[in-house]
């Protein structure tokens, strides 16, 4: 079973879909990324992310411990710890890597067997509304994220599958069916 990369613009609902996938399939395993950003309200270290200092992040890169890493939205660094992914693959887990476009491109080069899925909003306007409704970022951070989102949307044809998140249950079902076909 290959690993599955899940990529998509900010606020498209990746987090919700991934949670649904994990709930639907007990053998599914989500990589916990390391990040230099600070935790949001309710986020837990080791569950949502490994929250690390910039110095620690430098060390992880220098030691070759990152499968991929990128600076996202021009600010903070995010990366996938390599060992945990290798171990999960060895155990026969269905591995999910939720990464940004840079990360997806790196994985395409270093792990070409991974199946890459892009989650798209029905329309760009829909994304703007979702980001505003979520309310976790201020106006300038929202603008920055929408800028990144435009670049990501323009790259969607690079992906093996494009899934439109018009409805969480439907999109999750489509991804589960893709996973079954790939197996
Ligand atoms: P957030 O700060 O909202 O949790 O995440 C911002 C972005 O970082 C998301 O679009 C997500 O896909 C990306 N991201 C999260 N973890 C990783 C990772 O390990 N590697 C890369 N390249 N991007 C990541």
């Amino acid at each position: 079973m290959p690993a599955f990369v899940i990529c998509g613009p900010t606020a498209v609902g990746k987090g919700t879909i991934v949670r649904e996938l994990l709930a639907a399939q007990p053998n599914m395993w989500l990589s916990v990324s390391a990040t230099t950003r600070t935790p949001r309200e309710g986020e837990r270290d080791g569950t949502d992310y490994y929250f690390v200092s910039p110095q620690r992040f430098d060390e992880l890169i220098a030691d070759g411990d990152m499968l991929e890493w990128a600076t996202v939205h021009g600010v903070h660094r995010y990366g996938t710890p390599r060992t945990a992914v290798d171990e999960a693959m060895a155990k026969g887990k269905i591995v999910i890597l939720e990464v940004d476009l840079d990360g997806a491109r790196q994985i395409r080069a270093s792990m070409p067997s991974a199946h890459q899925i892009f989650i798209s909003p029905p329309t760009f306007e829909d994304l703007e509304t979702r980001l505003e409704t979520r309310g976790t970022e201020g106006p300038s951070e929202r603008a920055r994220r929408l800028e990144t989102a435009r670049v990501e949307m323009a790259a969607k044809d690079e992906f093996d599958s494009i899934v439109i998140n018009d409805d969480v249950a439907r999109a999750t079902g489509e991804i589960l069916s893709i996973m079954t076909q790939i197996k």
Side-chain angles (χ1 to χ4, degrees):
M1 175 66 92
F4 290 88
V5 169
I6 301 224
C7 184
T10 186
V12 74
K14 283 170 296 189
T16 312
I17 289 177
V18 166
R19 270 198 301 280
E20 295 284 314
L21 289 170
L22 291 168
Q25 233 299 353
N27 200 32
M28 199 99 60
W29 180 86
L30 172 66
S31 165
V32 178
S33 302
T35 181
T36 58
R37 89 153 158 74
T38 48
R40 292 192 190 120
E41 177 100 27
E43 282 184 333
R44 284 184 302 152
D45 187 45
T47 304
D48 299 287
Y49 284 104
Y50 295 106
F51 295 98
V52 300
S53 66
Q55 292 74 18
R56 178 71 190 125
F57 204 95
D58 288 340
E59 282 171 16
L60 290 168
I61 297 169
D63 294 346
D65 287 340
M66 289 301 200
L67 176 62
E68 60 73 38
W69 69 271
T71 302
V72 180
H73 303 305
V75 200
H76 295 295
R77 289 181 290 170
Y78 296 78
T80 306
R82 185 190 298 277
T83 313
V85 172
D86 290 345
E87 284 172 3
M89 301 266 295
K91 282 188 198 151
K93 299 277 182 193
I94 305 171
V95 169
I96 303 180
L97 308 172
E98 193 209 315
V99 298
D100 83 324
L101 180 59
D102 250 25
R105 286 175 171 161
Q106 291 172 49
I107 293 168
R108 200 169 293 139
S110 63
M111 198 194 268
S113 62
H115 186 89
Q116 302 229 352
I117 300 173
F118 187 88
I119 302 183
S120 171
T123 64
F124 199 83
E125 292 65 43
D126 185 78
L127 204 61
E128 292 173 318
T129 312
R130 286 193 210 199
L131 189 58
E132 211 158 309
T133 311
R134 186 167 81 174
T136 44
E137 291 82 18
S140 69
E141 178 61 22
R142 279 209 299 273
R144 182 166 32 217
R145 282 172 181 250
L146 287 173
E147 206 43 56
T148 308
R150 281 187 204 285
V151 175
E152 289 170 332
M153 290 292 286
K156 64 181 192 304
D157 291 336
E158 291 177 17
F159 287 77
D160 299 313
S161 307
I162 301 172
V163 173
I164 296 173
N165 186 17
D166 46 1
D167 175 84
V168 171
R170 195 210 61 76
T172 306
E174 188 179 340
I175 294 174
L176 286 169
S177 128
I178 291 168
M179 288 173 163
T180 316
Q181 287 161 33
I182 300 289
K183 190 161 52 177

